[in-house]
């Protein structure tokens, strides 16, 4: 497994309110497979993590600011959930543009739980087969997605899951999908 | 002012994550005008309040459960914000139906900040002129609303505001609007 993602660069775009396990466990799976993951956010320093949205769960260090990075810097994008996290990201034009550019680039993008709100704001949900946390599904449908209730769904370059319970399947799938990405020349 | 809403019964529908000032200050304004307000929620006991979504801000006691009340029990409905609060309400069919029935009844309904997500889930945003916290606006537009950026907007029986900064205008307006409601015979 260690070589599958050897040296591939993954951006984890997140903000305050991120659900701790939805950043930590996929990041661990990606790093275990050899990827180099960076936390990209909308402000420098640390972001506040939560368990089940309401319980303080420490912080994550921010590696890069979203308005200083480009899709060319990464081979894949991970969008964790937590209700407040994507709610903050979708108000930042640089974050919305980063998500839109990534999806449009064809490089693999994965999101779980409330993370798919990012696809709504970037208007890249249209015609896509997606899943999410139940509360987000009406917004996804209204944005033109075909919403399904499955533990992990891949449609083109977008992979989505519903909740922390789906993390084993999600982590396994994103390692596979991120390994398919063309390795960039950088 | 004390007589304007004398004895009118107002439901405040909220769940964990409610933004403290968006429940407390409208409730105070309504009670100062003579209304009787009750906190209606999806579980008994207390709901957890927040300041700016991420800071613990005490609790509110729950007076009634949403699946035990009816639109006939109240003359007006208030939907505060806080990101996590409407996210929880929209997953509970009894809460969604309560909001839908209230809007369809023609009785006054008011919401601020993230509260208008409730209108999306109840599919009563279509054709309505609404405002909200910026992050919710794409979802409102995708649900068929005409979204405006004004401190307080009344369209028919729905009044909306954007954020805690709008509370003075929002509180003044909801007292006026709730006073217009026909007094029920109960």
């Amino acid at each position: 497994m260690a070589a599958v993602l050897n040296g591939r660069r993954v951006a984890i775009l997140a903000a305050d309110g991120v659900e701790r396990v939805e950043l930590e466990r996929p990041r661990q799976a990606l790093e275990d497979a050899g990827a180099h993951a960076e936390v990209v956010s909308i402000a420098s320093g640390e972001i506040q993590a939560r368990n089940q949205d309401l319980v303080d769960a420490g912080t994550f260090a921010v590696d890069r600011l979203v308005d200083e990075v480009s899709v060319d810097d990464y081979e894949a994008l991970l969008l964790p959930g937590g209700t407040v996290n994507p709610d903050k990201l979708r108000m930042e034009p640089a974050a919305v543009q980063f998500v839109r550019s990534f999806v449009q680039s064809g490089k693999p993008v994965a999101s779980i739980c409330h993370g798919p709100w990012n696809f709504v704001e970037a208007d890249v949900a249209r015609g896509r087969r997606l899943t999410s946390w139940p509360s987000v599904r009406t917004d996804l449908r209204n944005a033109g997605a075909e919403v399904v209730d499955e533990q992990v769904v891949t449609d083109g370059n977008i992979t989505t899951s519903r909740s922390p319970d789906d993390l084993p399947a999600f982590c396994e799938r994103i390692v596979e999908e991120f390994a398919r990405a063309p390795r960039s020349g950088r």
Side-chain angles (χ1 to χ4, degrees), chain A:
Chain A
M1 200 65 155
V4 175
L5 294 179
N6 200 17
R8 302 232 180 180
R9 293 157 307 165
V10 177
I12 302 175
L13 180 63
D16 285 337
V18 66
E19 188 73 12
R20 183 164 194 97
V21 292
E22 296 177 0
L23 192 159
E24 200 164 53
R25 287 178 50 190
R27 180 171 68 178
Q28 191 64 53
L30 295 167
E31 289 179 345
D32 286 349
H36 174 68
E38 292 186 324
V39 174
V40 177
S41 193
I42 53 180
S44 57
E46 295 180 324
I47 56 175
Q48 296 183 50
R50 291 289 182 272
N51 290 332
Q52 297 183 305
D53 278 330
L54 294 165
V55 180
D56 290 358
T59 61
F60 291 105
V62 173
D63 297 306
R64 306 280 299 275
L65 290 174
V66 71
D67 57 5
E68 296 171 354
V69 297
S70 142
V71 171
D72 296 337
D73 296 336
Y74 301 99
E75 280 124 11
L77 172 64
L78 172 67
L79 299 164
T83 307
V84 170
N85 158 41
D87 194 76
K88 290 189 176 291
L89 292 177
R90 64 192 301 194
M91 290 188 289
E92 296 294 330
V96 175
Q97 186 56 48
F98 187 65
V99 172
R100 183 183 299 122
S101 298
F102 232 105
V103 172
Q104 292 176 343
S105 75
K107 296 181 185 182
V109 178
S111 188
I112 186 166
C113 208
H114 290 79
W117 263 332
N118 286 290
F119 301 137
V120 172
E121 200 63 36
D123 197 16
V124 291
R126 206 165 302 279
R128 293 289 194 144
R129 193 164 174 272
L130 303 173
T131 195
S132 71
W133 186 250
S135 63
V136 180
R137 293 178 191 170
T138 296
D139 298 332
L140 288 172
R141 275 187 212 100
N142 287 345
E146 177 197 348
V147 178
V148 296
D149 184 14
E150 299 171 14
Q151 67 176 354
V152 60
V153 181
T154 299
D155 181 1
N157 61 329
I158 300 183
T159 294
T160 47
S161 280
R162 301 169 301 187
S163 76
D165 289 345
D166 297 334
L167 279 168
F170 181 71
C171 291
E172 184 179 342
R173 181 71 62 85
I174 67 175
V175 170
E176 291 169 12
E177 290 297 321
F178 289 8
R180 289 184 211 274
R183 205 173 283 274
S184 78
R186 295 165 66 115

